[in-house]
Amino acid sequence: MSRTTPSSPLSRATPPRSPTAGGTPSRLAVAPPSPSTPQCAIPASPHTPGRARAAGGAPATPRPEITLRPPASQAQQKRAPSAAARKPSRTLRAIRALLRSLPFVAPAACRPASALPRRYNKPHDGHAGGGTRVTGTFYGHRRARIALAVQERPGSLPSLVLELGVPTAKLMQEISTGGHVRIALECEKKPKKSSPPEQANASLLEEPMWTAFVNGRRVGYAVRREASEGDLAVMQLLSTVSVGAGVLPGDVLVEPAGADGDGEVTYMRAGFDRVAGSKDSESFYMVNPDGVAGAGAGGGTELSIFFVRV
């Protein structure tokens, strides 16, 4: 339907006189609109509160700005090639070879570490077996599969993100009941001849898939994946939390198909002692806020995670 724009009164009327003294015409004065002039309706802005109420939907949770820092191990790996490029000189290699050929004689006054007093034989910083303290977080929608993120510290980017084949509510319930919860992740050792060099030399935590067991019961598989935008948003929201459990807004993580109305994202965060037994086995032991390994923050629950390549 064609719409005709009526001519403005300003185009045919003489400039009105200014009410100031002197009667000088003013270009800023605007004649009042004619009653026949149609008034254009201004559409409501998407951010107008009235429109948000009319839509009837809850406002989406804004994504936080990601300020997580890369792990320290990645920075060391970037500097490693430059340090490895500098080979020792021929004289230094000859001296090292000479020292290796000399016999080693232990002095009589030397005692093993087990003979020392107990106060001197305490593991450093409460770590079990000289392990490294890391931060582990279990999170996910109630009916969706739970994810595990491992960070070197609460404010760093996750170095490992695993998706376990067990619902979040089921594992959280098993952890909250107390006792000892053992999660074993097993992967098959690939022969070096039949696998590419990059896969044969991959570290244990770089394996793409494991068979998952919870307290001896097989629960499916665990898949390693890259951290998504939702994973980083969860880590950012929990960057100031070292130990604790609770819920986050449900739209922080993308809900999987068929999980409508799943609600909030449940999480449990604690410190873990990472102990490397060999290149084919690593263990993570949850610690309580007092720094004692073995007892977690879930009311006496002991949680252990084992990575094994068999």
Side-chain angles (χ1 to χ4, degrees):
M1 180 177 180
S2 61
R3 180 178 176 182
T4 59
T5 304
S7 59
S8 174
L10 297 178
S11 60
R12 60 177 180 273
T14 58
R17 298 285 181 176
S18 174
T20 57
T24 306
S26 174
R27 296 180 178 272
L28 300 179
V30 179
S34 174
S36 60
T37 305
Q39 300 295 327
C40 300
I42 301 176
S45 172
H47 303 285
T48 306
R51 182 169 180 177
R53 288 194 298 267
T61 305
R63 287 296 176 91
E65 182 183 358
I66 305 301
T67 59
L68 303 174
R69 299 181 179 180
S73 59
Q74 293 184 3
Q76 293 176 0
Q77 289 176 2
K78 292 181 180 179
R79 293 193 299 264
S82 59
R86 298 190 301 267
K87 296 182 179 180
S89 61
R90 183 177 301 177
T91 305
L92 184 58
R93 291 198 300 268
I95 294 175
R96 289 179 179 177
L98 179 61
L99 292 177
R100 293 193 192 100
S101 61
L102 295 177
F104 177 76
V105 179
C110 183
R111 293 182 295 173
S114 58
L116 295 176
R118 191 169 186 179
R119 58 179 177 174
Y120 296 109
N121 202 17
K122 183 180 179 181
H124 175 67
D125 196 21
H127 296 168
T132 309
R133 184 65 55 85
V134 296
T135 300
T137 309
F138 290 92
Y139 60 96
H141 291 279
R142 245 177 22 94
R143 302 171 188 169
R145 291 181 295 183
I146 195 169
L148 168 64
V150 178
Q151 301 169 275
E152 290 188 0
R153 58 183 184 278
S156 64
L157 292 170
S159 58
L160 174 66
V161 177
L162 282 179
E163 187 172 333
L164 283 73
V166 57
T168 302
K170 184 177 181 180
L171 184 60
M172 290 295 186
Q173 182 181 4
E174 196 154 0
I175 293 176
S176 61
T177 54
H180 199 161
V181 180
R182 297 179 178 87
I183 302 176
L185 304 174
E186 297 181 358
C187 65
E188 185 179 356
K189 186 183 299 184
K190 303 178 181 62
K192 296 184 179 181
K193 296 182 180 180
S194 60
S195 57
E198 58 273 7
Q199 294 183 3
N201 300 327
S203 63
L204 178 62
L205 298 184
E206 292 178 354
E207 294 288 344
M209 183 177 295
W210 287 268
T211 304
F213 300 86
V214 176
N215 288 341
R217 301 188 307 271
R218 181 172 176 175
V219 296
Y221 295 94
V223 181
R224 176 190 173 100
R225 58 178 174 83
E226 296 294 332
S228 63
E229 184 180 355
D231 298 326
L232 296 180
V234 172
M235 297 299 105
Q236 182 64 41
L237 291 174
L238 300 177
S239 59
T240 58
V241 179
S242 57
V243 177
V247 294
L248 297 173
D251 52 359
V252 174
L253 281 176
V254 179
E255 293 187 3
D260 298 336
D262 205 10
E264 297 88 358
V265 174
T266 309
Y267 75 89
M268 190 209 71
R269 191 175 181 89
F272 286 81
D273 276 341
R274 177 182 177 182
V275 180
S278 65
K279 65 176 182 178
D280 295 327
S281 65
E282 287 195 23
S283 306
F284 291 79
Y285 302 96
M286 188 171 70
V287 298
N288 64 6
D290 297 332
V292 180
T301 302
E302 298 183 11
L303 176 60
S304 305
I305 308 173
F306 303 96
F307 293 84
V308 184
R309 186 158 44 192
V310 294

